[in-house]
Every structure is written in C-alpha cells, then in structure tokens.
Amino acid sequence: MAVNVETLDKLERKITLTLPVGDIQNEVDSRLKRLARTVKMDGFRPGKVPLSVVTQRYGYSVHYEVMNDKVGQAFAQAANEANLRVAGQPRITEKEGAPEGQVAFDAVFEVYPEVKIGELEGAEIERLSADVTDEAIDKTVDILRKQRRTYQLRKQDEPAQDGDRVTVDFEGKIDGETFQGGKADDFQFTVGEGQMLKEFEDAVRGMKVGESKTFQLGFPADYHGQDVAGKTADFMVTVKKVEASHLPEVNEAFAKSLGIADATVEGLRGDIRKNLEREVKFRLMARNKQAVMDALVGKAELDLPKSIVQNEVDRMVEQARADLKQRGVKDADKAPIPAEVFLPQAERRVRLGLVVAELVRANNLQAKPEQLKAHITELAASYERPQDVERWYFGDNRRLAEVEAIVIENNVTDFVLAKAKVTDKKVSFDELMGPQGG
C-alpha cells in the first residue's frame, strides 16, 4: 500500500495512520484474558478473578498500551515502506473524522537531511608537526626531580629564597574585614614556583624565621575567587619555618627509583622520550583532526533536524548537572541551567556527526578490526600491564564503541588530508603541550 507523506517543512513530514478498531479491541481482550490468568487481587484465588473485574481495574491501562504498540508498529511499517530515515521520535496525535470502524492518527516527524559535501580539493588545512627535543626531556627530568626532592631546615638567620619551602601564618583583610580563604595557619608553599600570587611570593622571599611583614596584594580581575577579584587586600604574614630543598642527582640510583627497566641515565632519558613522543603523537592527531573537522563543516551543506539538536542540548544539560553534582554543588539537579547556552555547540556537534557519517558511508571509512586492535595496543602501551588494559577495552562494548569512533575520525582525517590543500607547520614542543595545545 502506498504511503502518503506530506512535507511540512525542510525536514518535517507528516503521515496519517489508520487502524481498524476491531484489531485494537481483539488485542486488548487477548491481553486482559492473559492477565486474568496470573493477576492477584484481594478476595480471589490466583487465576480465578472474573474477566469483568480485571477489565474494570486494568482495561484503561491495557488499552493505552495496545494503542501505543499498534500505532508504533504502524508508523515503523509506513516509514519503512516510504523509505524514510526518521530522525528522533514522532509526535503522534489522534485525528478526528476517521472512517467508521477505524481510528486515525497524525504522525509528525523529521527525516535525516541530504548531506552535500563540496570538493575537498579546495579545502585549506594547516597540518601541525612537532619534535621531542633534548630540552623537553631535560624539563621532564627536572619535574621528576622536583617531585622527589627532600627538605632540610635552614638556620634561623638564613632568609627564604626561591626553591625553599616555607611554613607561614597569614591573614588578609579587605576594608578591615577578613574574607573567605584570606586566613591560614601553618600554610606551606614553595617560593618561586607560582603557587601564590606574585606580591605574596615577593613579600615572603628574603624573610627569616620569626619575622612578620605587612603588605598590600591586588587580586587580578579574573581571579577564581569572585568575592575578591579586582580588589586590594592588606596582608600580614609571619614566617614559622624555612626549609631548603635538595633535588636528587640524576644517576643510576635515581633511574632505579623511578622503576626504569634499563636503570641508567640513558635508559631514563630514552623512556621519557618514548612517553613524550606518544603524547606528542596523540596531541598532534587531536589538533590536526580538529582542523580537518573545521574544514569539513565549512564544505558541507545540510539542514539540521531540530529533534536531534534538542536531544544533544538535553544531553549536554544533563552532563552539566552531573558535573555540578560531582563538584558537590547542593541541589545540582534543580540548578537553573539555560539550555540555549549549549545550542551553538549542539548544532555544531550534530552537523559534524552527520557530515562524518556521510563521508564514512560514501567512502567506506568504517573502522576495521585490525585498526581497533592497533589503536587499543597503542593506548595500553603506556601502562604497566598492557594486556590487562587491552582486555579491559575488549571486555566492554561501550568502551569499544568509543575507540571505534576515534578510529573512524582518524580514517576521515587521513582521507581529507590526502585530498585537501595542506600546509605543513612546525610548532614547538611547549606550544603543543601548553594549555591551548591539547
């Protein structure tokens, strides 16, 4: 039977579904009879409840279930016959004026759009590369040394200097009032490492045990503590302890303490290089993938299904609530989160998802089993027991699906880079690994 599909908007369609009332009633009767055989009700033995009593108690809910099932089946069949790719859930409403013995419904829904991807040869993409330098390895060695440093009390008259760990009492006031987080006793920090604001470090540097000092500190306008951001406080600080730090020497004992298999300085540096190269590779892939996805979105023409965008917005709002809850925010599930804030990001995600799916379908870029295996092996390589990590991935379909999505994106990235106008650009290790680099 031909299905009449009415176009309401670019992607919105309507189908009218008609169902014989007799079919619905037969199914309702059948379900009520089945229910009567098992239902338990006060005053009756199991299986002996009269059908009229079961109908009176459960008739409405069973009728509602049957209608839902029948309408759902009819819609799925009609959409299938009309070769429609339905996006999201249909909105179904009962329709007046159905022929006798029939009940009619209007199903309004969206279909997935046609995705047109322009010539990729015209896309301009900057592809980044970076090297792991000896300087980067030196910096990592320094970080490892600092993590394992030891401290020794300085003499009473020795002033605090960069690298020393100091223990202080402090109290800050704004307009004569103490503020939250502005007072602490026995507070420890290392001078010269940026743990405290510059004015605080400058005040403590050069002080000796037992000394006190007052100074002014101006909080930056973008300071994380909103109550004090942009304000100036009067601080008093007293130094109680000054400890000089001692960094371990870089030798075989140091390499051994880090659990390096080849416990030599060369072995340590080689191990660091291998780990940094793996991290650089993943970061470059992420940056270059982002450049490809931006180019793809720019080359694609498509209408967005509102229902799919709304689903994505809802998902992002839920994620925001979950994040608030995790951070210990009270009544996070009731917190007012304006959904429209997420709309641009949701639209971009949906657009990108549809474009990538079309490119994958048209060019057979699905993830192959050997690609999944290779990617998981690489992810697991940085762990102590790689085989356990591999089993962890392969033991859960959801985790496997996440890896599959990454591999598909990598396939899309390689495919686009092979066609586009690519400019290669070298970036420094620090630039790649900095806050904006990942």
Side-chain angles (χ1 to χ4, degrees):
M1 166 182 103
V3 177
N4 181 34
V5 182
E6 192 181 332
T7 299
L8 303 180
D9 197 5
K10 289 174 184 170
L11 298 177
E12 203 168 45
R13 305 285 182 270
K14 183 167 84 171
I15 292 177
T16 298
L17 308 164
T18 54
L19 301 170
V21 173
D23 285 3
I24 293 165
Q25 196 54 52
N26 288 343
E27 180 63 22
V28 170
D29 292 345
S30 171
R31 290 192 191 185
L32 285 170
K33 280 174 190 165
R34 279 206 302 275
L35 194 59
R37 291 201 290 271
T38 56
V39 75
K40 291 177 182 173
M41 289 175 74
D42 289 345
F44 298 97
R45 295 201 311 278
K48 298 294 181 184
V49 184
L51 188 58
S52 59
V53 176
V54 174
T55 302
Q56 193 178 354
R57 172 73 66 88
Y58 296 105
Y60 178 80
S61 60
V62 169
H63 189 272
Y64 182 78
E65 278 174 21
V66 170
M67 288 291 275
N68 264 355
D69 292 351
K70 290 285 184 187
V71 171
Q73 288 162 13
F75 176 74
Q77 191 179 339
N80 192 38
E81 283 177 21
N83 289 322
L84 296 171
R85 290 176 63 227
V86 178
Q89 289 296 317
R91 297 193 310 279
I92 294 174
T93 50
E94 195 167 343
K95 191 176 181 182
E96 299 292 323
E100 196 173 339
Q102 305 271 327
V103 60
F105 296 89
D106 280 336
V108 176
F109 56 98
E110 286 183 294
V111 292
Y112 279 101
E114 182 191 353
V115 179
K116 292 180 189 166
I117 300 173
E119 290 294 319
L120 294 172
E121 286 75 8
E124 294 185 9
I125 299 171
E126 194 173 68
R127 177 171 52 196
L128 305 181
S129 62
D131 294 325
V132 174
T133 59
D134 285 340
E135 187 188 2
I137 295 170
D138 291 342
K139 279 186 181 174
T140 306
V141 170
D142 284 344
I143 290 166
L144 291 169
R145 289 175 77 202
K146 279 178 182 172
Q147 286 170 353
R148 283 157 183 79
R149 62 186 155 193
T150 54
Y151 293 95
Q152 191 176 355
L153 277 174
R154 282 198 181 277
K155 290 177 187 163
Q156 187 85 14
D157 59 347
E158 285 188 320
Q161 52 190 273
D162 283 352
D164 286 357
R165 184 169 71 182
V166 292
T167 304
V168 300
D169 292 347
F170 66 80
E171 183 174 10
K173 292 185 178 183
I174 296 174
D175 299 329
E177 296 288 327
T178 307
F179 55 91
Q180 192 179 353
K183 185 177 190 302
D185 291 334
D186 295 325
F187 182 83
Q188 282 190 336
F189 73 97
T190 304
V191 181
E193 292 195 350
Q195 291 166 268
M196 306 297 282
L197 289 171
K198 185 177 181 300
E199 289 100 321
F200 201 105
E201 289 205 334
D202 288 347
V204 172
R205 190 184 289 108
M207 287 179 71
K208 298 170 187 172
V209 173
E211 281 187 350
S212 296
K213 184 189 276 188
T214 57
F215 63 97
Q216 284 196 323
L217 186 149
F219 287 101
D222 60 354
Y223 191 69
H224 58 81
Q226 291 300 307
D227 296 344
V228 299
K231 295 179 180 174
T232 298
D234 294 305
F235 269 89
M236 179 173 179
V237 63
T238 303
V239 175
K240 298 170 85 172
K241 190 159 60 170
V242 178
E243 298 166 285
S245 66
H246 293 278
L247 298 173
E249 277 189 54
V250 181
N251 53 24
E252 288 182 10
F254 181 61
K256 197 172 183 180
S257 74
L258 291 165
I260 306 296
D262 173 12
T264 62
V265 174
E266 291 74 25
L268 167 63
R269 292 181 70 85
D271 195 72
I272 290 170
R273 179 179 290 280
K274 194 169 68 180
N275 285 323
L276 291 181
E277 281 174 349
R278 189 184 299 115
E279 181 63 22
V280 162
K281 181 183 175 183
F282 279 123
R283 290 214 180 197
L284 285 172
M285 276 169 65
R287 287 277 290 271
N288 291 330
K289 189 188 289 184
Q290 186 62 50
V292 163
M293 297 305 167
D294 289 345
L296 256 183
V297 167
K299 281 284 171 190
E301 283 180 41
L302 67 154
D303 296 314
L304 292 183
K306 292 176 192 141
S307 54
I308 304 296
V309 172
Q310 189 55 50
N311 287 349
E312 185 62 24
V313 168
D314 293 345
R315 200 186 63 74
M316 290 166 81
V317 168
E318 280 310 304
Q319 183 60 55
R321 286 193 196 289
D323 290 345
L324 289 175
K325 199 169 185 179
Q326 208 171 6
R327 294 213 299 265
V329 174
K330 198 181 168 194
D331 295 331
D333 43 353
K334 295 187 191 123
I337 297 178
E340 60 273 12
V341 171
F342 298 105
L343 189 60
Q345 199 182 346
E347 286 181 343
R348 180 185 162 79
R349 281 189 189 177
V350 171
R351 179 177 277 110
L352 189 55
L354 292 170
V355 172
V356 167
E358 175 57 27
L359 204 67
V360 169
R361 187 199 62 76
N363 300 283
N364 195 24
L365 301 175
Q366 290 84 359
K368 296 173 181 62
E370 61 271 21
Q371 289 181 310
L372 282 177
K373 176 82 174 77
H375 192 79
I376 287 171
T377 300
E378 192 165 17
L379 287 172
S382 61
Y383 291 90
E384 220 169 284
R385 295 162 68 93
Q387 283 132 327
D388 290 353
V389 178
E390 286 184 36
R391 272 198 294 273
W392 182 79
Y393 273 109
F394 282 110
D396 185 315
N397 284 336
R398 200 177 61 220
R399 288 193 282 263
L400 214 49
E402 286 170 5
V403 175
E404 187 178 14
I406 292 167
V407 171
I408 288 170
E409 286 178 354
N410 291 345
N411 290 348
V412 167
T413 301
D414 293 343
F415 179 83
V416 174
L417 287 173
K419 288 183 171 292
K421 285 183 193 166
V422 176
T423 311
D424 285 301
K425 181 188 175 187
K426 200 107 173 173
V427 292
S428 72
F429 177 84
D430 285 349
E431 190 184 335
L432 181 69
M433 304 301 273
Q436 302 302 313

